[in-house]
Amino acid sequence: MAENQVFQYSLISALMDGVASHGTPISRVLEHGDHGLGTFRNMVGEMILLDGQVYQMKADGSVVHITDTETTVTPFATVTRFRPTVTKKISISGKAHLQETLISLFPAAKNHFLSIRMDGKFKTIECRTAGGQCFPREGMVDVCSRQSTYNFSSEKGSLFGFRCPEYVMGINVAGDHLHFISEDRQRGGHILGFETEGEIELSVSQMSNFHMELPTDDEEFNEAALVKDEKGIKHVEG
Amino acid sequence: MAENQVFQYSLISALMDGVASHGTPISRVLEHGDHGLGTFRNMVGEMILLDGQVYQMKADGSVVHITDTETTVTPFATVTRFRPTVTKKISISGKAHLQETLISLFPAAKNHFLSIRMDGKFKTIECRTAGGQCFPREGMVDVCSRQSTYNFSSEKGSLFGFRCPEYVMGINVAGDHLHFISEDRQRGGHILGFETEGEIELSVSQMSNFHMELPTDDEEFNEAALVKDEKGIKHVEG
């Protein structure tokens, strides 16, 4: 796929409905991007894709570098071939400050997509990792009610994620959605909060092309209600 | 683009918000499909794309075959490289019957997209054609309050359109959305109702890949609210 386009497999409403028994091989996702985020079969852990490398960040705090990209599958992932158009050294005090920063850097992009990467040292990082479904079709709100949360301090690493426009809520997550992995690739998860330690490098690109591939021959997906649960999505992905 | 994938330029909520001063050249849309529907700059008329040919069906009842595909632009179009996987001779008594027929032909496809073509003789066809905006940013509900409606009887021709899943409402039109053009390419518009005269040929394909290209450098689009107006969309596109 061309640079700086969004590719997603399935939709967030399917995860909310617990559609996570099957998925697409990681190798197929890598054809569309070298940066991204998502999850794994049965929602076991958080996925981050950074510089073409896929990591599974598990609820027990461990991180697995996924090298078998043919048999490992993802029921939901969003990726891009990331080529930042804006790069900036900046201190960021948290999620709200990041949001303001992105608006000031891309004032006309509220109806477009952004991909966002941050590299540097973080004073605090608050992460969660989903432990996985207890049974097939268990919804994401229930899965995340058992999530592990981790707090890291003075941690070097990278955040990557997306800002999606409001109108895709339910298909993806409206607003900012970021995952983190430490520089040594030993710790990470879905970002709940963060503060940089001095300046980090912020890299961003605006995207105007969106691609979605739906699961096929997947009874769970075919039968899912896929009704937008805005409150639920904000609760588990906000 | 590969066969039987959905490509759309902009989103229906942008049309609802009156974003129609600019657009993408028809030639660019034709790169992604040979069948489809949409509208033209300032919402002047209805578009149908059939066998690679684009027609503008105007509110005065005239039809223009668009041959200048470089300078003619569309602010919203949905197209596909249509290769039907199911073809059937069938009598259809109206929109509700078509809906039932599609469900029985594709019982597991409620969360996927369908492209639909019908060729034959129609006992009745009720069409509307939008006359265009009176001023920039005039919303689609107001534009369609002045639409022309036409009733054709014993008319040979073709219908083409899409069935979109509920979860894309606002991005596209959930449910069935069809345009008609007569066999002699002299009459047509957006389908409000129809009944076949005996059996026609119904051709359908299921689609699992969705692509959306957003307008860039378009102030109208950048500033639009793009809040899903489900009631309004059903009113003008239902």
Side-chain angles (χ1 to χ4, degrees):
Chain A
M1 215 169 67
E3 296 175 356
N4 292 332
Q5 303 202 352
V6 190
F7 172 86
Q8 70 172 60
Y9 178 79
S10 192
L11 51 151
I12 195 75
S13 289
L15 268 200
M16 296 299 288
D17 287 348
V19 178
S21 297
H22 311 289
T24 195
I26 298 293
S27 58
R28 291 270 297 128
V29 168
L30 292 173
E31 291 169 14
H32 300 283
D34 48 23
H35 284 72
L37 47 72
T39 187
F40 295 90
R41 180 177 272 160
N42 305 323
M43 297 191 226
V44 175
E46 311 288 334
M47 176 204 290
I48 190 166
L49 166 58
L50 213 64
D51 300 316
Q53 301 302 310
V54 176
Y55 301 91
Q56 181 177 22
M57 304 179 289
K58 292 185 161 181
D60 65 3
S62 67
V63 173
V64 180
H65 183 195
I66 303 291
T67 50
D68 180 359
T69 59
E70 296 299 329
T71 58
T72 308
V73 303
T74 172
F76 176 76
T78 310
V79 305
T80 185
R81 204 171 297 285
F82 182 54
R83 300 295 178 270
T85 54
V86 170
T87 303
K88 197 177 164 71
K89 296 269 181 202
I90 188 172
S91 298
I92 300 181
S93 63
K95 286 177 79 176
H97 186 203
L98 173 64
Q99 200 173 18
E100 289 161 22
T101 304
L102 294 172
I103 291 169
S104 81
L105 288 172
F106 293 86
K110 84 173 169 69
N111 291 329
H112 289 79
F113 296 79
L114 297 179
S115 43
I116 308 148
R117 179 171 173 161
M118 279 176 273
D119 297 281
K121 197 168 182 182
F122 297 86
K123 194 171 165 185
T124 58
I125 291 270
E126 190 187 359
C127 279
R128 77 103 198 277
T129 46
Q133 291 170 308
C134 287
F135 51 87
R137 296 295 306 270
E138 188 184 23
M140 198 175 176
V141 168
D142 290 334
V143 171
C144 286
S145 69
R146 299 185 304 272
Q147 70 191 16
S148 302
T149 59
Y150 291 97
N151 287 282
F152 309 125
S153 52
S154 283
E155 184 76 52
K156 280 188 183 170
S158 301
L159 281 81
F160 185 81
F162 299 98
R163 191 186 82 184
C164 293
E166 282 298 326
Y167 59 79
V168 297
M169 190 57 154
I171 287 178
N172 207 306
V173 181
D176 299 341
H177 181 195
L178 298 157
H179 286 189
F180 170 77
I181 192 163
S182 62
E183 191 178 51
D184 61 9
R185 309 299 187 237
Q186 298 297 311
R187 291 166 294 288
H190 169 99
I191 285 288
L192 299 173
F194 74 94
E195 184 181 349
T196 69
E197 191 164 307
E199 290 188 340
I200 51 88
E201 184 166 271
L202 171 67
S203 315
V204 191
S205 64
Q206 182 176 329
M207 300 177 292
S208 305
N209 282 276
F210 171 83
H211 309 272
M212 174 170 61
E213 182 179 323
L214 302 174
T216 50
D217 302 317
D218 182 338
E219 208 172 297
E220 282 188 357
F221 180 80
N222 293 344
E223 289 175 358
L226 305 185
V227 173
K228 179 169 81 174
D229 172 11
E230 186 159 348
K231 202 174 142 196
I233 296 171
K234 281 183 177 163
H235 178 65
V236 296
E237 298 288 8
Chain B
M1 214 170 67
E3 296 175 356
N4 292 332
Q5 304 202 353
V6 189
F7 172 86
Q8 71 172 60
Y9 178 79
S10 192
L11 51 153
I12 195 74
S13 289
L15 268 200
M16 294 299 290
D17 287 347
V19 178
S21 296
H22 311 289
T24 194
I26 298 293
S27 59
R28 289 271 297 128
V29 168
L30 291 174
E31 291 169 15
H32 300 283
D34 48 22
H35 284 73
L37 46 72
T39 186
F40 295 90
R41 179 176 273 160
N42 305 322
M43 296 191 227
V44 175
E46 311 287 334
M47 175 204 292
I48 191 167
L49 166 59
L50 213 65
D51 300 317
Q53 301 301 310
V54 175
Y55 302 91
Q56 181 178 22
M57 304 180 288
K58 293 186 159 179
D60 64 4
S62 68
V63 174
V64 180
H65 183 194
I66 302 292
T67 51
D68 181 359
T69 59
E70 294 299 329
T71 58
T72 308
V73 303
T74 172
F76 176 76
T78 310
V79 304
T80 185
R81 203 170 299 283
F82 182 53
R83 300 296 178 271
T85 54
V86 171
T87 303
K88 197 178 163 70
K89 296 270 181 201
I90 188 173
S91 297
I92 299 181
S93 64
K95 286 176 80 176
H97 186 202
L98 173 64
Q99 201 172 17
E100 290 160 22
T101 303
L102 294 172
I103 290 169
S104 80
L105 288 173
F106 293 86
K110 83 172 172 66
N111 292 329
H112 289 80
F113 296 79
L114 297 180
S115 43
I116 307 149
R117 180 171 173 162
M118 279 177 273
D119 296 282
K121 198 168 182 183
F122 296 86
K123 192 171 167 186
T124 57
I125 292 270
E126 190 186 358
C127 279
R128 78 102 199 278
T129 46
Q133 292 170 307
C134 287
F135 51 87
R137 295 296 306 271
E138 187 184 23
M140 198 174 177
V141 169
D142 290 334
V143 171
C144 287
S145 69
R146 299 185 305 272
Q147 69 193 15
S148 302
T149 58
Y150 293 97
N151 287 283
F152 309 126
S153 53
S154 283
E155 184 76 50
K156 280 189 184 169
S158 301
L159 280 81
F160 186 81
F162 299 97
R163 192 185 81 183
C164 293
E166 281 298 326
Y167 60 79
V168 297
M169 190 58 154
I171 288 179
N172 206 305
V173 181
D176 299 340
H177 181 196
L178 298 156
H179 285 188
F180 170 79
I181 193 163
S182 61
E183 191 178 52
D184 62 8
R185 309 299 189 238
Q186 298 296 310
R187 291 167 294 289
H190 168 99
I191 284 287
L192 299 173
F194 74 93
E195 184 182 350
T196 69
E197 192 164 305
E199 290 188 339
I200 51 89
E201 185 166 272
L202 171 67
S203 316
V204 191
S205 64
Q206 183 176 329
M207 300 178 291
S208 305
N209 282 275
F210 172 84
H211 309 271
M212 174 170 62
E213 181 178 323
L214 303 173
T216 50
D217 302 318
D218 182 338
E219 206 171 299
E220 282 188 356
F221 179 81
N222 294 345
E223 290 175 358
L226 304 185
V227 173
K228 178 169 80 172
D229 173 10
E230 186 160 349
K231 201 175 144 195
I233 295 170
K234 282 183 177 163
H235 178 66
V236 296
E237 298 287 6

